[in-house]
């Protein structure tokens, strides 16, 4: 398959309304977030009769702008069409996920009541995946059918705290929450989280409004091991952020609208996602992305097979197909997020197309060894912590 670089005009993550789980503080979200026993589904009650052998199809729910498309025919998805042709499995691909909490509210009534969701595969952020795993709402995958996942999954992503050994989830794409800044306008480098609090950035800094998106990087600035952080670590960053808000250091808290602020010059430095910055750099090479010396958060949005999915084997085959290095490379060339298949780097590097080959050297798609040493996956916010933490964080942010 040809590897043609394609940066979509709008980042998939620009659609994310990161509200720190606040939408889940309603009645349904509170029930699930607190892990009410009635909502939990035991392992023996999660599987339906698998119709994959007789029904060569599956339904896949994903985010918009999160798969390769044909430049001349945007409705066509080359890697997905190649899978269908190779296997004879028809895929109903639905771009219906625009927000983690919104999608949770959409399908949780079925899962809580042990009814089919009519979806065989879903993609959501890892912090929300943790909630599904705790509630027993997703099925363990059969790795005997997924040799590519076993062989090629990035070691950094293999065993997050919410799903040790990745039994229930497989990363679709990954990314880094770090710091973006305009070096020309600022006139100096940023190397530490604490650099955000410098006097020359007063009123020109933004932080992410979503608690799950924001907290890990700030903790790392304090030298905290985010794989095993404590409640005191969270409250300390809240104290620090409150102080910076009072001083006028922080211009505002944002979703993905930090992109406009940074592009316009209203903001000189901000918390940012690596995938967004690749696109910003195409228009403004003065914008840089930094993984602070203290470290940055590596996150993923992952594939899961919900309970009572009727085509589990077909879904497992599709997941494993996307872990072939040549397929992962074609996807990476289009979406420009951190590729969870490091072996795809060599595929891109061997391309005859110069732009495609150059992507293999982009550390925001394939982090180099030095950057990888500073990346970590944060332990997720546990069910019993979320209400307290969200209340404090959203009080600071003003949600």
């Amino acid at each position: 398959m040809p590897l043609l670089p394609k940066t979509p005009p709008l980042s998939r993550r620009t659609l994310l309304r990161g509200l720190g789980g606040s939408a889940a503080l309603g009645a349904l979200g509170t029930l699930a977030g607190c892990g009410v026993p009635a909502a939990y589904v035991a392992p023996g009650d999660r599987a339906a009769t698998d119709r994959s052998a007789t029904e060569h199809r599956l339904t896949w729910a994903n985010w918009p702008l999160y798969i390769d498309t044909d430049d001349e025919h945007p409705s066509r998805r080359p890697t997905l069409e190649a899978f269908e042709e190779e296997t004879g499995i028809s895929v109903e691909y639905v771009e219906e996920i625009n927000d983690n909490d919104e999608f949770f509210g959409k399908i949780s009534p079925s899962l809580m009541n042990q009814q089919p969701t009519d979806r065989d595969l879903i993609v959501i952020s890892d912090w929300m995946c943790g909630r599904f795993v705790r509630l027993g709402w997703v099925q363990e995958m059969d790795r005997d059918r997924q040799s590519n996942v076993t062989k090629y999954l990035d070691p950094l992503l293999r065993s997050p705290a919410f799903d040790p050994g990745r039994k229930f989830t497989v990363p679709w794409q990954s990314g880094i929450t770090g710091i973006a800044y305009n070096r020309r306008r600022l006139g100096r480098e940023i190397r530490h989280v604490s650099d955000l609090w410098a006097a020359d950035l007063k009123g020109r800094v933004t932080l992410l409004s979503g608690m799950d998106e924001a907290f890990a990087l700030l903790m790392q600035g304090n030298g905290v091991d985010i794989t095993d952080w404590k409640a005191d670590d969270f409250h300390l960053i809240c104290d620090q952020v409150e102080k910076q808000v009072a001083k006028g250091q922080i211009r505002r808290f944002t979703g993905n609208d930090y992109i406009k602020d940074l592009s316009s010059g209203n903001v000189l430095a901000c918390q940012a996602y690596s995938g967004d910055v690749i696109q910003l750099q195409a228009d403004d090479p003065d914008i840089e992305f930094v993984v602070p010396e203290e470290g940055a958060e590596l996150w993923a949005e992952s594939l899961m097979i919900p309970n009572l999915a009727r085509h589990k084997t077909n879904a497992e085959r599709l997941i494993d197909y996307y872990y072939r290095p040549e397929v992962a490379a074609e996807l990476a060339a289009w979406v420009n997020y951190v590729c969870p298949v490091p072996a795809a780097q060599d595929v891109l590097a061997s391309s005859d197309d110069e732009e495609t080959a150059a992507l293999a050297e982009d550390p925001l798609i394939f982090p180099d060894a030095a950057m990888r040493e500073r990346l970590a996956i944060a332990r997720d916010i546990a069910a019993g912590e979320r209400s307290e933490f969200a209340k404090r964080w959203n009080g600071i942010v003003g949600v």
Side-chain angles (χ1 to χ4, degrees):
M1 293 176 287
L3 296 174
L4 300 177
K6 174 72 172 94
T7 301
L10 176 68
S11 166
R12 202 283 306 153
R13 266 198 169 251
T14 62
L15 300 175
L16 180 65
R17 299 193 302 274
L19 299 177
S22 60
L25 294 180
L28 179 59
T30 300
L31 174 64
C34 294
V36 173
Y40 177 76
V41 178
D45 297 325
R46 298 175 189 174
T49 300
D50 192 346
R51 303 177 184 175
S52 296
T54 56
E55 296 182 358
H56 302 295
R57 61 185 180 88
L58 69 99
T59 299
W60 178 9
N62 204 348
W63 303 73
L65 307 172
Y66 218 18
I67 197 170
D68 55 303
T69 60
D70 186 290
D71 289 351
E72 296 182 3
H73 305 283
S75 63
R76 299 189 63 182
R77 304 178 178 96
T79 58
L80 193 56
E81 290 179 3
F83 170 80
E84 291 178 312
E85 183 176 349
E86 175 184 316
T87 64
I89 296 171
S90 174
V91 181
E92 182 183 1
Y93 186 82
V94 186
E95 294 183 325
E96 64 170 327
I97 306 175
N98 293 299
D99 175 82
N100 286 291
D101 287 319
E102 179 182 76
F103 188 67
F104 176 87
K106 187 174 186 177
I107 69 172
S108 58
S110 295
L111 291 164
M112 186 166 52
N113 291 295
Q114 300 186 41
Q115 298 172 346
T117 65
D118 297 325
R119 299 163 183 85
D120 300 294
L121 199 57
I122 62 176
V123 179
I124 53 179
S125 299
D126 270 359
W127 62 267
M128 180 61 84
C129 288
R131 186 179 300 174
F132 278 70
V133 171
R134 285 193 299 270
L135 288 165
W137 288 0
V138 290
Q139 300 182 61
E140 183 172 347
M141 296 187 201
D142 185 348
R143 290 288 181 258
D144 289 340
R145 300 190 183 110
Q146 297 181 318
S147 59
N148 292 321
V149 173
T150 300
K151 182 176 181 178
Y152 293 116
L153 173 58
D154 191 331
L156 286 178
L157 295 166
R158 283 183 181 268
S159 195
F162 72 89
D163 183 15
R166 286 282 184 184
K167 295 179 180 180
F168 299 93
T169 63
V170 173
W172 170 243
Q173 294 293 287
S174 184
I176 303 166
T177 301
I179 297 172
Y181 71 104
N182 190 307
R183 184 168 182 174
R184 178 180 58 80
R185 286 181 169 137
L186 182 58
R188 61 177 176 84
E189 287 186 340
I190 286 180
R191 299 174 60 188
H192 304 276
V193 176
S194 60
D195 289 343
L196 294 174
W197 317 137
D200 60 348
L201 283 173
K202 184 174 182 179
R204 310 291 291 279
V205 172
T206 61
L207 299 181
L208 294 169
S209 60
M211 175 175 65
D212 294 274
E213 286 77 24
F215 79 91
L217 181 72
L218 300 175
M219 282 187 188
Q220 286 167 300
N222 290 336
V224 173
D225 176 4
I226 61 170
T227 67
D228 188 31
W229 57 271
K230 307 295 190 293
D232 287 347
D233 299 321
F234 178 83
H235 287 297
L236 176 58
I237 64 164
C238 287
D239 292 342
Q240 294 168 336
V241 171
E242 283 178 327
K243 200 171 294 185
Q244 297 300 332
V245 169
K247 288 169 53 179
Q249 186 75 15
I250 299 171
R251 183 182 184 92
R252 66 190 184 103
F253 295 87
T254 74
N256 288 84
D257 43 344
Y258 70 79
I259 294 171
K260 294 180 181 178
D261 288 338
L262 190 61
S263 298
S264 68
N266 290 329
V267 163
L268 298 182
C270 59
Q271 276 190 312
Y273 303 121
S274 55
D276 289 339
V277 174
I278 290 177
Q279 296 172 55
L280 288 171
Q281 288 171 335
D283 297 322
D284 187 348
D286 293 319
I287 292 176
E288 297 194 11
F289 182 88
V290 61
V291 171
E293 292 189 6
E294 302 87 0
E297 181 190 14
L298 180 69
W299 46 262
E301 279 155 340
S302 292
L303 297 142
M304 298 192 301
I305 300 173
N307 289 358
L308 304 182
R310 296 184 177 93
H311 308 98
K312 182 174 184 285
T313 299
N314 291 344
E316 289 166 339
R317 288 185 67 182
L318 177 62
I319 293 168
D320 202 54
Y321 164 81
Y322 273 99
Y323 268 72
R324 294 180 186 175
E326 65 275 14
V327 178
E330 184 167 4
L331 182 63
W334 202 90
V335 301
N336 291 173
Y337 280 88
V338 174
C339 181
V341 182
Q345 185 172 20
D346 289 339
V347 177
L348 288 173
S350 65
S351 173
D352 294 332
D353 182 88
E354 290 185 8
E355 288 185 62
T356 300
L359 294 175
E361 303 303 318
D362 193 327
L364 300 188
I365 299 176
F366 299 100
D368 57 31
M371 184 182 290
R372 288 172 69 88
E373 289 181 358
R374 302 198 303 276
L375 298 176
I377 300 176
R379 80 154 176 90
D380 61 325
I381 297 174
E385 302 170 314
R386 180 164 292 276
S387 180
E388 172 195 350
F389 290 172
K391 182 177 181 181
R392 177 147 196 217
W393 180 256
N394 291 341
I396 298 170
V397 172
V399 174

